[in-house]
Amino acid sequence: NIEEVETLPVTVTAAGYATLYAPVALTVPTGVTAHTVTLNGEWATLSEALTTIPANTGVVLAGAANTYDFTITTADAFNGTNALTGSVAAEYKTEDAYVLAMPEGAETAGFYIATKNQNEGAAFLNNSHKAYLPKTVGMNAVSYSFRFGEGTTGINEVKGENGNVKAIFDLTGRRV
């Protein structure tokens, strides 16, 4: 017998994060947010929160420790940038990758390089409906910490009241 399901239950751990990957579009329930990931240096930058997760799109979930029911829905295919991929069924992966973890002593969760295990020579076991970051050329970090959005990156210039650059002084008060 085939049983039709309408929801996919997903547990967010005490660390406040989980990953998700599904072959169907899902509506994000209240109490949790879903984010795609772009890599920027040593940061895994999380996108603005999605209200619907398109089918075959890996996401990071952020929320209080709980099990949330994601309702199956319809949505357009994802057309943005996303470094995550995933598996529908649990499977051993042979390629090197970064997996969501919060190692002992870490202050927050992030993506850490998977260590080789003894099971069939695989790099790691990706559980069903979980996402991960495949390691590609140029990815040499041991881990990627989370960052929401791009944030402030610096001051480009100082302008006066009329848009003109005024005199600039150093920290000792000397005009430069």
Side-chain angles (χ1 to χ4, degrees):
N1 286 338
I2 296 177
E3 182 181 336
E4 186 173 326
V5 295
E6 296 178 5
T7 62
L8 176 64
V10 180
T11 300
V12 173
T13 66
Y17 295 99
T19 61
L20 176 60
Y21 182 88
V24 294
L26 300 167
T27 300
V28 180
T30 302
V32 67
T33 57
H35 309 270
T36 57
V37 172
T38 54
L39 296 177
N40 184 354
E42 293 181 11
W43 295 100
T45 303
L46 303 181
S47 70
E48 294 293 322
L50 304 173
T51 55
T52 302
I53 304 166
N56 303 309
T57 302
V59 294
V60 170
L61 304 176
N66 199 357
T67 297
Y68 299 90
D69 287 325
F70 288 75
T71 304
I72 297 171
T73 188
T74 57
D76 293 333
F78 184 74
N79 61 3
T81 303
N82 188 14
L84 293 171
T85 191
S87 304
V88 175
E91 62 182 327
Y92 288 103
K93 297 292 187 176
T94 56
E95 69 268 20
D96 288 335
Y98 295 84
V99 295
L100 180 66
M102 186 168 168
E104 190 174 319
E107 292 182 20
T108 185
F111 284 99
Y112 292 82
I113 192 75
T115 56
K116 301 275 185 197
N117 76 34
Q118 304 304 314
N119 298 310
E120 302 173 27
F124 68 103
L125 171 65
N126 196 53
N127 287 316
S128 62
H129 301 291
K130 296 297 178 187
Y132 62 93
L133 287 172
K135 184 175 181 184
T136 59
V137 174
M139 291 175 70
N140 297 317
V142 172
S143 67
Y144 288 92
S145 299
F146 294 145
R147 179 169 71 175
F148 289 89
E150 290 302 316
T152 303
T153 58
I155 298 172
N156 294 329
E157 61 183 307
V158 178
K159 291 189 176 185
E161 293 173 8
N162 298 326
N164 299 322
V165 175
K166 299 278 185 175
I168 299 174
F169 300 87
D170 67 13
L171 292 175
T172 61
R174 293 178 295 180
R175 186 179 179 135
V176 290

